[in-house]
Amino acid sequence: MKNHMPFEQFNDSYLKNILQNSENLNKAYTSAFSKISEQISGIDQRFTGRARLLPYSELLENLSGKSRLFAYSELLENLSGKSRLMPQDKLIQDNLYIDLNKQISSWQKLLQPSLNISQPSRQLKEIVLASRVWDKSFTEVTRQIQELNLFSKHPALVQSLLKPSRVYTDFVEKTYQRLEQSPSEKFDWALETSLHLAEDQLLTATELLVNIIAVPEDEELALREIDLLLPIVQQDELITIVESCEEEDEESLILLSPAAQASAQVNRIWKLIVQCNEVMQTKEQKEMFKPTTKLIEACTNLHWIIPQNKLSFANFIDYFYFTFYEGAGKDNLRFLIKHGGVLDEKTDCDFIWCIKHLRNKWLRHDADHGKETDIKKSWKDLSDKFKWLGINHTPIREEDFRKLHRSLLKEAESFLEKILEKLIS
C-alpha cells in the first residue's frame, strides 16, 4: 500500500479529525500487540466456528506493521476531491465522513479499557481480533471502490457498500456492553458465539461482494433505509438456544440458529451467481446476472436481512427481484432458452414467477386492480404462491415471514443449481 497522506496536509477539518483518530487507533493497536504478541497461540481453540475463518495468527502478526492506517487515508484522499462532486453528493460525502469517524472511535473505545489493565486478558485478544476482521473487510471493499473510482461515479452506491461495516461495528460494541452485564456463563457463551459468527459472516460476505462489485451502467438505487438485523436476530436465537441445549462447541450451536443457516444459504446463492456469470463469460457471452446498481446493493444487503414482518419481507423480495428478474434482463431474461439461455419458461421458472407475483400483486402493488375477474385471479394466484412456499394463509406472524424467507432461499439455490448444471453439461 502506498504511504498515506499525513492528516496535517488536509485542509478539511473532517479529514483531519478522522485521520487523527486513525493515528490514535493505530497507537492503541501497537500497544495491544505489545501485550499479546507472546500469546498469539493462546487464542482459545474451543471456538470451532472460528476455525473456518482465516489464519488469526496472521491477523495478529499484521498489527506489528509500523503506522498502518488501513485504507482510510486513500479513501479520504478520494473523498476529498470536492470539485468532482455535485451538490447532492456533498451530503453523502459528509455522511461517509461522520460514519467512518464514528466507527474508528468505536474501535478505539473498545480497545482502551483493556489496554489499561496490567495483565492482557482474553477480552483484549478478542477485541483485537474482531477489529482486525472489520479492518480486513473495510480495506477490501474500499480497495475496490478506489480501483473502480466509484465515489466520483456512484457516491450513493459507496454509501451502501460500506453499510455492513457500520452494522458490524455497532453490533460488536453493543455485544461487549451486554457481556459486561452478563448474568451467567451460558449467556457469555451465546454472546461470544454470536461475535465469532458475525466475524465469519462479514468476511464471507465481503469476499463475495468484491467479486460482484463493478462499475454499473445505471445509477438507480433502491435508496430505502433497510434494517440489517442478522447479527442481532441470531444473537437472540443463540441466547434462547443455550439455555436448553447440550452442545459443547460453537459449530454445533451455530447449526441450531435459523438466522445463521439462512445467512449461510445466502452465501451459497451468491457463490452460484458468480459461478453462472463466470461460465457465461468463458463462453464469451454476457453475464447472466448483470451487476446493475440494484444488484450490487442486493449483494451488499441480502446477507444481513432477516424478514420479520411484511415491510422487511417486501425489502427482501425487492432484492430478489432486482437480482433474479431485473438483473437477468427483465423483458429478455438471459436464462431462458428463447433468449439464449438454458431454462424452459414454463417448466423451470416457478421461482421467478413467484417472486414477480409476490412483488407486483401483493407487496409493492395492489392486487385489487382491474376487472373483477382479474382481481379474483390475482388473489387465487397469490394463495397458490403461499401454498407453494409452505403456508396455507396470508402471512401475518413473524414465523410466517421467516418461513417464506427460508423457502425462497431454498428455491433460489435450487434454481441457480439448475442453471449451472445445464450450463456445464
Side-chain angles (χ1 to χ4, degrees):
M1 182 184 293
K2 68 180 182 179
N3 293 330
H4 71 273
M5 182 185 290
F7 62 81
E8 292 88 351
Q9 294 183 26
F10 284 105
N11 294 322
D12 192 298
S13 59
Y14 268 132
L15 303 178
K16 283 187 177 182
N17 186 249
I18 295 173
L19 282 177
Q20 279 182 305
N21 280 342
S22 299
E23 292 279 16
N24 292 335
L25 178 58
N26 200 62
K27 289 176 184 177
Y29 275 138
T30 302
S31 177
F33 183 75
S34 67
K35 281 195 171 190
I36 65 176
S37 59
E38 296 178 0
Q39 302 179 39
I40 289 175
S41 61
I43 296 297
D44 198 331
Q45 295 302 311
R46 287 187 306 110
F47 303 130
T48 55
R50 254 192 183 174
R52 63 181 188 271
L53 286 175
L54 66 158
Y56 267 80
S57 59
E58 290 182 15
L59 281 180
L60 288 170
E61 287 164 1
N62 285 342
L63 290 177
S64 60
K66 292 184 178 179
S67 189
R68 184 168 186 270
L69 280 181
F70 320 103
Y72 310 150
S73 60
E74 289 185 64
L75 177 66
L76 292 171
E77 286 176 55
N78 190 290
L79 298 188
S80 64
K82 292 182 180 178
S83 61
R84 298 193 302 267
L85 297 178
M86 300 295 289
Q88 64 268 25
D89 296 335
K90 179 62 169 63
L91 177 61
I92 295 174
Q93 180 194 54
D94 290 347
N95 288 337
L96 283 168
Y97 287 162
I98 293 168
D99 188 37
L100 177 56
N101 204 28
K102 181 177 181 295
Q103 289 185 53
I104 293 170
S105 297
S106 293
W107 289 109
Q108 187 181 349
K109 289 175 184 175
L110 282 167
L111 277 169
Q112 205 60 48
S114 296
L115 289 174
N116 294 332
I117 300 172
S118 58
Q119 291 297 320
S121 63
R122 192 180 88 184
Q123 180 174 327
L124 174 58
K125 299 176 197 175
E126 295 285 340
I127 291 173
V128 168
L129 290 171
S131 66
R132 298 305 287 168
V133 168
W134 167 75
D135 171 42
K136 180 175 176 62
S137 170
F138 188 92
T139 300
E140 289 184 3
V141 174
T142 53
R143 184 179 293 122
Q144 286 289 93
I145 291 170
Q146 310 286 21
E147 290 178 358
L148 298 173
N149 195 22
L150 281 179
F151 185 79
S152 61
K153 296 175 181 177
H154 297 276
L157 178 59
V158 171
Q159 190 173 30
S160 178
L161 289 170
L162 296 178
K163 185 173 181 178
S165 69
R166 168 163 55 87
V167 170
Y168 174 74
T169 299
D170 290 345
F171 171 72
V172 173
E173 189 172 31
K174 290 173 183 176
T175 300
Y176 275 104
Q177 291 172 358
R178 296 189 78 177
L179 276 166
E180 290 177 357
Q181 303 169 358
S182 173
S184 68
E185 289 187 8
K186 282 195 170 185
F187 198 85
D188 283 352
W189 186 36
L191 293 178
E192 289 174 353
T193 300
S194 72
L195 284 170
H196 305 155
L197 180 55
E199 292 169 5
D200 188 1
Q201 290 163 334
L202 181 66
L203 290 172
T204 303
T206 300
E207 182 181 350
L208 292 167
L209 181 61
V210 297
N211 286 315
I212 293 289
I213 298 174
V215 180
E217 296 175 3
D218 66 306
E219 297 185 5
E220 188 179 4
L221 279 171
L223 288 180
R224 293 190 187 94
E225 185 59 34
I226 306 296
D227 290 328
L228 306 183
L229 299 177
L230 170 69
I232 297 170
V233 171
Q234 66 193 10
Q235 183 177 86
D236 290 341
E237 287 178 352
L238 291 170
I239 289 171
T240 301
I241 291 166
V242 296
E243 293 301 324
S244 57
C245 81
E246 297 180 359
E247 306 297 344
E248 296 183 355
D249 62 77
E250 284 195 350
E251 191 92 35
S252 300
L253 182 59
I254 287 167
L255 290 174
L256 298 176
S257 165
Q261 297 315 302
S263 175
Q265 197 151 30
V266 173
N267 293 334
R268 294 195 294 272
I269 287 167
W270 283 103
K271 285 179 182 177
L272 286 165
I273 287 174
V274 170
Q275 289 170 347
C276 288
N277 282 345
E278 288 178 347
V279 171
M280 293 294 287
Q281 288 173 306
T282 57
K283 293 183 177 183
E284 298 184 354
Q285 298 180 40
K286 290 182 180 179
E287 295 161 303
M288 186 163 287
F289 302 97
K290 191 173 182 179
T292 62
T293 308
K294 285 183 177 178
L295 184 142
I296 296 170
E297 187 182 15
C299 184
T300 306
N301 291 337
L302 270 172
H303 293 89
W304 308 97
I305 291 177
I306 299 293
Q308 297 180 297
N309 51 40
K310 188 175 180 179
L311 177 61
S312 55
F313 183 73
N315 293 330
F316 164 71
I317 287 293
D318 278 346
Y319 284 133
F320 258 29
Y321 182 84
F322 301 151
T323 300
F324 292 103
Y325 190 71
E326 288 188 355
K330 198 172 181 179
D331 297 326
N332 299 286
L333 294 167
R334 287 181 287 274
F335 47 72
L336 294 182
I337 292 172
K338 66 179 182 180
H339 299 306
V342 293
L343 298 186
D344 182 88
E345 182 175 359
K346 294 182 178 179
T347 60
D348 295 326
C349 297
D350 288 346
F351 164 68
I352 297 298
W353 313 138
C354 180
I355 292 170
K356 188 177 178 183
H357 196 82
L358 289 176
R359 186 174 190 270
N360 293 343
K361 296 296 183 179
W362 181 46
L363 296 167
R364 296 303 182 197
H365 301 282
D366 190 357
D368 293 324
H369 182 74
K371 298 178 182 178
E372 185 175 351
T373 54
D374 293 335
I375 293 172
K376 287 183 178 180
K377 185 178 185 305
S378 292
W379 282 108
K380 173 64 168 59
D381 289 344
L382 190 58
S383 176
D384 290 342
K385 297 297 185 288
F386 291 147
K387 290 176 182 176
W388 187 67
L389 294 172
I391 66 173
N392 295 316
H393 55 82
T394 300
I396 297 173
R397 303 163 299 180
E398 178 181 342
E399 62 191 75
D400 298 332
F401 292 103
R402 294 289 297 274
K403 185 168 186 176
L404 290 177
H405 181 231
R406 290 193 299 271
S407 296
L408 281 167
L409 291 177
K410 181 180 178 181
E411 292 297 334
E413 187 175 6
S414 297
F415 175 76
L416 290 166
E417 286 174 341
K418 185 187 303 180
I419 292 176
L420 190 59
E421 182 181 351
K422 290 178 181 261
L423 282 174
I424 62 180
S425 61

